[in-house]
Every structure is written in structure tokens, then in C-alpha cells.
Amino acid sequence: MKKTIILGALTAAGLAAAGAASAGTLDDVKARGKLNCGVSTGLVGFAAPDANGNWQGFDIGVCRAVAAAVLGDPTAIEFVPTTGKTRFTALASGEVDMLARNTTWTFTRDVDLKFEFVGVNYYDGQGFMVPKSLGVTSAKDLDGATVCIQTGTTTELNLADFFRSNNMNYEPVPIETNAEAQQQFLAGACDTLTTDASGLAATRAAFENPHDYVILPEIISKEPLGPLVRHGDQQWGDIVRWTLNALISAEELGITSANIDELAKGTNNPEINRILGTEGDLGGMFGLDKQWAYRAIKAGGNYGELFEKNIGENTPVGLSRGLNAQWRDGGLIYSPPFR
Amino acid sequence: MTTTSETPNGSFRLSMLLYDTRYRATTIQIIALFAFMFGVAWLVNNVIQNLAASGKTFDFGFLWEPSGYDINQQLIEYNSRSPHIRAAVVGLLNTLLVAGMGCVTATIIGLFIGILRLSKNWIISRLAAFYVEGLRNVPVLLWIVMTMAIAIHFFPAPREFRGENPAATMKLFDSIAVTNRGVYIPKAVFSDGFGYMPVFGGSFHVNLDAVAILVVLAISLYISHLIRKRADRIQEETGDRPTVWYLRLAVVLLPFLAVLWLLGFHLEYPQFKGFGFKGGIHMRNSLLALWLALSLYTSAFIAEIVRSGIMAVSKGQSEAAAALGLRQGKIMRLVILPQALRVIVPPLISQYLNLTKNSSLAIAVGYMDITGTLGGITLNQTGREMESILLLMLCYLLISLAISAVMNFYNERTKLQER
């Protein structure tokens, strides 16, 4: 008799577990006390553990801002390193709550894979890096070259299209992670390395002799990179989207990690007040408190600060703002208003 | 005898299903069967529910969409506009290639090492033991990665072959180039060849030159076999064996050379051009690393199987053979190995299966096998996990069953004929 009860209980528990995946991500994260954030396996400047094992980088900044907004603690994060191949499975299966991992926003990923890209935090394009000694100055000279690529990426498809449309041949060398790509490229097992231009700059920064390598001028694709969440949980999607927008608006409105405490006491600019929660209750509309954006910005600074600190011109990665400048400075970074 | 075997009086009661030993076993089995079926049903239901919840359909239509990616090693024609199914076939052929090559070399190496381990020479047998224990006690993935790392860092990059005084030169009268992108060897080309014949409505092309050569070889091998049969017969009748080896060699070699000459056979040598070597056959280092690592690793297991097989043949057999005046090598070849084979073959089958399944680690070195194409890039670009993985499992299952079938057939033939 007892056995029957136990079996029955197990069955019921099993059936309940099958249906549990559809509960709200926000509640899950709050109950867990930790945000599971999918990141890359290591790309200096964007997401890489430092000497002490703490994850640092531009994409990490987005994770920290979301954790700060939702949980009030920018360190309450479980970073889940994912490869180009495993990232979507990790997100779709609920292993991670969000992906902040230089992932290109495309139609099929948005529509067919059922993901929700909440915005763009870096406008990128695919480029090629070659050793200077190869004497190549244009991607059009790469006919017959051996090309190292990370598999499971849009770059793989762009590469095939680029060489095909230019009637050129190439030999692809598929590689799982950026570290392996770097190893093969440096050993000369491939002539050129291709990925997003920002990724190339970040990879080159980690080389022993970065000046012996050049990034070719051609950008062969549009690669809008941004954080993404699962389809179907609008509330969670809104939280991640507006956390990113808060970071962008903060730069536009001049809110920095240095002056945020001052501004949080109240200003004459109503939009700053709305963002920082001294006026209205924007956070309450998606289940957070009034201070959510204050904590998100305070965690690592605004968009511009994150950029300068991790990948800006004064860092080894050395990227200029370019397309990623604020819209008022001629770039594409633009947040809808907080109203 | 216990009392339970006596027929109890009275009618059948429900509790007897559990307490009567005549029914208990059946009851338990039926319950277990229901539990199992319930488990399977629950899993299937879970999959269907979750697919429905995430709004995905179960549909293999994506296999006919253009794949959009390129594959470096292709045994059949393929480009980025070919459908996903063709990419899967390219990967499948690559899997079969490395598995086939691996099984052959692993068997040869394993046979040698296994025999060496039984050597009376202490140093040789110890060295063989060291080989076996060293190789089989380290995960095969590490061997694959290490072989690849050596291939990349030890051999010169193609750019070192450039210039007036290159740092690296080609080997064997400039016919073979060993680089860290792989080994380039001369390729057989036929200037007066038949070319290719399309089959299955042009989806595959058969190399008619290869077919012609294989047909000629098969015929001459059969004739050579008949000559040997005749020699055997004469030996049976007269006791003297006629010397036929030159005849047999000529029967195989002359038609072969003749057909090569007729087809205009010559070698195409790899040449340095542009970024690297062009022409010849490019054996990529991913293939070489995977092949080498898989063969060495599996050969350690095969060596142990061979050793156990040989030790299973009783000592009297080799002593009797020695008493008949056979030399050591002939004893092994004619007496010991044929008897050892029936012990060796069944466990050998599982080693072949292991090698084939281990080849799915290919992605670690970027070898595009079926796990890399169908289970890797296709899965990733289309997001059809369920369909891709099921198809992939089916492929490996079919390959394994095919290997099993062939080897079991061989086993039937080599096993002891009991009278």
C-alpha cells in the first residue's frame, strides 16, 4: 500500500515538472536568487574571466545590470559559458534566463527559433584578420585562402555567401571556440581568421604581437549583436529590453555611476527622475520596484562607461564608437523615451 | 518439495497473484511491463507537450532547404547551395572514411602489438605492455586533441615553403608536402579516362576510371585464385607443389598496368600556389589526427583481444606444429592465428563499433563528420534539434548494425566447425 502511494506521488511530481517550464522567468529568477546568464566562452573585452576568475566585459555589463535591476545585487549571477553551438539550446531549454553573448539578430533566430531580441548593444559587421606578412590588403585578394571560422555562427553563412558571390574559392577550417581559432591562426594553420570585426579586435588584443596582424577594411555583413530571451515571456523580455534602454538613456541624459547618487535625490529633468524612480513608478509596471534602473546603472555605469571601460579606445581591444555612438553623435545607439 | 507446489483447494482469489508462487513471477513481469510502457509514454508525451509549448513542429522539410555553409572535406560534390540532406551525406561519408581507415590500421597495429606482448623477449613484451597500458588508460578525446596540437605546431606552415630559400621543403623528390594544414600527396589522374557517370539523376557521380580498374583487378584476382586452387589440387594428388607465385603475380600485375597505361595514368603533384599547396590529394590534419588517434587508441584494446585469443589456443598446438618442423612464423600464421580468430572476432566487433562511435569526437579537431554537419551546423542553423538528433542516432545505429552484420558473417565462417 505504501509503495502505491509513493509511486503515485512520483508520477504526480513528474507530470507537474513537465508543466512547470511555462512559469514566469521573473518569478523563477527571484525564487532562485540568482540570474543565469549565458555568455561566450571567453572573448576579451566582451566576456572573459579576469585573473581572479571574475567575469568582466561589455556583455557581462548587461548581465550585471539586469541582475542589479531584478535582484538588487549585480553579483548574484551564475555565468554559463556557451559556444556558438550550444547557446540557443541553453536558452530554449531554460538553462539560462538570458543570453548576452555577441549574438546576431536575424529573422530566423527571432521568428523560427522563437527568441526575442530585446535590442542591440553593439552594431557590428564581419571582417577578416590576416598576418601582415601575408601581404594581403583586401578581402577580395583572399581567393584560395584557408579560413578559420567558428561553427554554428552567422559568420559561417556570410563567409560562404561572400566567396560565392565573388566567384572565389576557400577552404573552411571549422572551429568550436575562439581560443582554438586563435591557436590555429597563430600557428599558421589558416591564412585568415574571420568573425565579427569587434571580435577580431578583441582576439588580436590578446595576441603576443598584436601589431603583426591587420584587420582587412571590408566588412562583409551586418551583425547587430544584442541580448536575447525566450519568446513568450513578455514581462521578462520587457525587463531585459528596458534595462538595456536605461543604460543607453543614462548616457544620453548624462547619468553616470559617479553622479547617479546625486541625481537620484531629484533633478529638474523629469525623464531622469522617471528613470531613477523619484517620479512615477515605471518599475512597478513590470513587477520591479522604483529603484530598478538606478541599481542597473549604478552596477557598471551607463552604456558609454561600459563601452569605454571594456572595449573603448583606451583598452587593449581599442574599438572606436563608430556606429555605436549615441544617435546625437552620428551613431545608431538610440533608446525609446522613458515615459 | 515444498508445500506450495501442491494444488490448493478452493477457487482463485485475487491475493493469489501476489502470494502464490505460481502466479507471482507473471504478476511482477506484467507490472514491470506496464511501468516501462508508462515511462515511455510519459517521455513521448513530455516531448510532444514541450514541442507544442515552444511552438515548434516536428518536420523534416528543412533537410531540403539550401544549407548555406561550406564543408572542407567532401567525397561527393557539394557547395553551399546544396540542401542540408546532402551536407548530412557528405558528413556520413566522412564518418565512414575515418571509421574504415581507423578499423584497418587499428587491426594491423593491434595484431602486431598483441603478438609482441607475448614475445619471449622481456624488453619487447614490456614495451608492448607499456604501449597498451599507456594508450588505453587515457581518454581518446585527449589523444585526438594532442595529435592535432602536434600536427599544428610541429609541422611547418605553408608560408615557410615560400621564397627563394624556403625554411621548409617538400619530401620524397618534391612529391609530398607535409604542412600544418595536412599532408599533400600526389594524385592519380587519367588523361584518357572515361570521366564520370551521373547516377540517381545526377545527384552522385561515379568515377568510371576507378570502376574500370577495380573490375580488372577483381577479374585478375579471381584468375590468380584459380591458379592457386590448381596448385593445391596438384599438391594433393602428387605431393609436389608447382611454383606459381610468378604466374599469379603476373596475372594480377600485367592487366593492372595495362589498364593504367590505356587510361593515360600519371601523377599530379602538389604545387605551392598562392596561399598554399594546390593539386594532389590534401589529407587534412583533422583527418590525420583523428585517424591516428582513433587507430592507436583502439589498437591497444585490439592488442589485448589478440593476446587473449592466442593464449586461448592450447600450448599443445604450437608444440605439435613445432614437432612437425614448422618455423615460428608459420606456426603463428598457419596454426595459432586461425584458431585464435574464433576467440578474437566477437570482441573485435565491439571494438570496431567503438571506433566508429568514437569518431563522433571529430568536432574537437574540426573534422566534418556527420555529427559536425547534421548534428552540428545544420542543427544550429535550422534549430531543429529533435529531428537532427533523431536522424543522427538513426545513422549511427544503421552503421553499427551494418558493421555487426558483416563481422558476424565473418565470425560464422571462421568459427570452429563442429561435427
Side-chain angles (χ1 to χ4, degrees):
Chain A
M1 190 62 203
K2 263 183 190 166
K3 268 185 195 155
T4 329
I5 294 171
I6 293 171
L7 274 178
L10 278 177
T11 318
L15 290 175
S22 55
T25 314
L26 177 63
D27 297 332
D28 287 351
V29 172
K30 277 183 172 166
R32 202 188 302 130
K34 234 179 197 182
L35 173 72
N36 290 340
C37 198
V39 294
S40 82
T41 51
L43 183 62
V44 174
F46 284 87
D50 64 12
N52 301 321
N54 295 320
W55 285 84
Q56 300 288 351
F58 188 61
D59 286 333
I60 299 298
V62 178
C63 295
R64 294 220 187 275
V66 173
V70 175
L71 300 166
D73 179 5
T75 59
I77 306 181
E78 177 90 28
F79 288 108
V80 180
T82 55
T83 65
K85 250 173 77 176
T86 60
R87 54 184 165 180
F88 297 127
T89 318
L91 181 61
S93 66
E95 191 188 342
V96 297
D97 303 313
M98 60 178 283
L99 266 186
R101 188 206 175 278
N102 32 23
T103 299
T104 307
W105 185 352
T106 67
F107 182 92
T108 45
R109 285 173 178 178
D110 199 337
V111 177
D112 193 33
L113 296 186
K114 312 280 182 214
F115 293 131
E116 190 83 26
F117 283 82
V118 300
V120 175
N121 71 338
Y122 193 92
Y123 286 94
D124 211 339
Q126 185 176 347
F128 294 93
M129 175 157 65
V130 293
K132 268 184 189 157
S133 57
L134 202 63
V136 170
T137 52
S138 157
K140 298 274 172 68
D141 299 339
L142 287 173
D143 193 6
T146 304
V147 185
C148 279
I149 36 163
Q150 280 191 56
T151 66
T153 57
T154 48
T155 53
E156 203 164 30
L157 308 179
N158 296 332
L159 181 71
D161 291 351
F162 174 74
F163 275 85
R164 194 177 173 78
S165 57
N166 285 299
N167 285 320
M168 304 197 301
N169 289 316
Y170 72 106
E171 154 109 14
V173 177
I175 286 160
E176 273 275 73
T177 67
N178 196 49
E180 288 169 44
Q182 198 174 316
Q183 190 194 4
Q184 296 230 9
F185 177 62
L186 286 178
C190 44
D191 297 307
T192 173
L193 178 63
T194 182
T195 185
D196 301 337
S198 66
L200 290 177
T203 306
R204 186 173 61 171
F207 287 178
E208 220 168 294
N209 301 311
H211 300 295
D212 294 349
Y213 299 88
V214 284
I215 295 170
L216 298 177
E218 284 89 351
I219 296 293
I220 65 167
S221 68
K222 287 188 291 187
E223 307 282 342
L225 310 179
L228 58 154
V229 297
R230 275 182 299 280
H231 215 82
D233 189 349
Q234 298 304 332
Q235 183 194 27
W236 179 248
D238 287 343
I239 290 175
V240 181
R241 173 179 299 116
W242 285 95
T243 305
L244 178 64
N245 285 338
L247 298 180
I248 294 171
S249 288
E251 186 190 15
E252 186 183 344
L253 297 168
I255 310 172
T256 67
S257 53
N259 67 8
I260 189 165
D261 286 320
E262 191 64 32
L263 295 175
K265 288 175 189 151
T267 63
N268 288 330
N269 185 333
E271 186 159 20
I272 295 182
N273 294 348
R274 280 194 295 272
I275 292 175
L276 296 180
T278 49
E279 191 182 313
D281 183 12
L282 293 183
M285 297 176 190
F286 51 30
L288 298 180
D289 62 357
K290 286 182 179 179
Q291 301 259 293
W292 66 280
Y294 163 80
R295 290 191 305 266
I297 299 164
K298 178 120 175 140
N302 62 37
Y303 180 86
E305 285 179 273
L306 281 174
F307 196 104
E308 289 312 322
K309 192 169 74 190
N310 294 302
I311 52 177
E313 278 171 333
N314 297 321
T315 63
V317 181
L319 293 169
S320 61
R321 288 293 290 262
L323 285 178
N324 298 294
Q326 286 283 340
W327 61 283
R328 278 198 295 224
D329 307 329
L332 294 175
I333 294 296
Y334 184 105
S335 158
F338 279 75
R339 187 169 287 283
Chain B
M1 280 294 147
T2 52
T3 49
T4 46
S5 60
E6 290 165 16
T7 318
N9 52 358
S11 59
F12 177 80
R13 276 162 293 125
L14 210 57
S15 62
M16 281 162 67
L17 282 178
L18 198 55
Y19 296 111
D20 192 325
T21 45
R22 284 174 304 169
Y23 303 119
R24 189 188 282 159
T26 320
T27 314
I28 291 175
Q29 283 181 37
I30 288 174
I31 291 175
L33 179 69
F34 271 96
F36 177 73
M37 287 191 339
F38 179 77
V40 171
W42 180 72
L43 280 177
V44 171
N45 181 44
N46 198 347
V47 168
I48 293 173
Q49 265 190 5
N50 277 313
L51 278 178
S54 58
K56 283 184 178 173
T57 51
F58 191 76
D59 172 17
F60 285 96
F62 72 97
L63 286 173
W64 279 267
E65 306 278 330
S67 64
Y69 60 90
D70 285 298
I71 299 176
N72 47 14
Q73 178 179 304
Q74 28 184 279
L75 300 178
I76 58 171
E77 212 174 301
Y78 170 86
N79 64 47
S80 60
R81 294 289 95 198
S82 307
H84 282 292
I85 183 86
R86 201 174 174 87
V89 173
V90 171
L92 180 65
L93 291 174
N94 285 346
T95 296
L96 292 176
L97 175 74
V98 76
M101 285 164 63
C103 285
V104 171
T105 43
T107 312
I108 296 171
I109 303 172
L111 188 64
F112 267 102
I113 300 291
I115 294 174
L116 288 186
R117 251 202 106 168
L118 291 169
S119 165
K120 292 195 182 73
N121 184 321
W122 188 83
I123 293 185
I124 290 180
S125 72
R126 285 299 96 189
L127 278 178
F130 178 75
Y131 175 91
V132 168
E133 297 304 334
L135 275 166
R136 71 171 180 175
N137 288 315
V138 174
V140 65
L141 179 63
L142 296 187
W143 285 119
I144 295 173
V145 172
M146 196 190 77
T147 325
M148 185 64 173
I150 292 174
I152 290 174
H153 292 289
F154 187 72
F155 297 116
R159 56 172 170 256
E160 289 174 40
F161 288 82
R162 251 203 308 207
E164 285 294 305
N165 274 317
T169 50
M170 291 169 73
K171 310 273 183 297
L172 263 166
F173 311 109
D174 277 0
S175 63
I176 295 177
V178 182
T179 74
N180 67 354
R181 286 177 198 174
V183 177
Y184 296 78
I185 57 173
K187 179 175 158 189
V189 282
F190 302 96
S191 44
D192 308 326
F194 298 122
Y196 293 87
M197 184 181 71
V199 287
F200 296 128
S203 53
F204 295 99
H205 291 266
V206 174
N207 186 342
L208 289 177
D209 304 321
V211 172
I213 292 172
L214 285 180
V215 167
V216 169
L217 261 185
I219 294 173
S220 40
L221 281 175
Y222 182 67
I223 296 174
S224 157
H225 175 72
L226 289 182
I227 295 175
R228 201 195 68 181
K229 274 275 179 81
R230 183 175 154 272
D232 285 348
R233 215 175 50 235
I234 294 174
Q235 187 179 14
E236 292 275 311
E237 286 166 4
T238 65
D240 282 329
R241 189 181 179 85
T243 320
V244 289
W245 66 264
Y246 52 86
L247 208 60
R248 292 180 65 193
L249 195 68
V251 162
V252 176
L253 216 54
L254 288 180
F256 179 66
L257 292 176
V259 75
L260 283 189
W261 181 75
L262 280 175
L263 290 174
F265 168 84
H266 60 274
L267 288 175
E268 178 193 276
Y269 291 101
Q271 274 173 337
F272 194 90
K273 216 189 270 173
F275 291 102
F277 285 91
K278 295 272 147 29
I281 296 176
H282 181 191
M283 298 179 75
R284 288 173 182 78
N285 54 8
S286 53
L287 170 68
L288 293 175
L290 190 66
W291 175 34
L292 195 68
L294 284 178
S295 339
L296 291 181
Y297 178 77
T298 312
S299 75
F301 291 89
I302 293 181
E304 286 299 273
I305 292 170
V306 167
R307 186 170 72 110
S308 70
I310 292 174
M311 287 175 82
V313 179
S314 88
K315 208 166 180 211
Q317 294 285 326
S318 55
E319 286 171 356
L324 284 173
L326 291 178
R327 270 177 278 115
Q328 201 64 44
K330 278 201 164 172
I331 296 178
M332 184 56 83
R333 202 154 44 82
L334 296 175
V335 180
I336 309 287
L337 278 185
Q339 298 188 68
L341 269 184
R342 64 198 159 85
V343 183
I344 292 174
V345 171
L348 196 62
I349 301 175
S350 39
Q351 287 310 320
Y352 286 171
L353 296 182
N354 275 347
L355 190 145
T356 309
K357 287 179 288 176
N358 283 342
S359 74
S360 61
L361 294 168
I363 190 63
V365 288
Y367 180 77
M368 281 287 112
D369 70 338
I370 190 166
T371 314
T373 58
L374 176 65
I377 308 179
T378 292
L379 185 156
N380 209 304
Q381 303 292 9
T382 61
R384 302 275 171 192
E385 294 98 348
M386 210 60 206
E387 293 92 333
S388 298
I389 294 292
L390 282 179
L391 207 56
L392 190 60
M393 285 163 72
L394 185 70
C395 281
Y396 277 106
L397 185 69
L398 290 180
I399 298 174
S400 296
L401 288 179
I403 295 176
S404 278
V406 170
M407 292 301 289
N408 279 324
F409 173 71
Y410 181 67
N411 189 32
E412 280 300 310
R413 292 198 37 200
T414 54
K415 82 174 183 194
L416 195 64
Q417 301 294 323
E418 290 185 30
R419 281 181 272 259

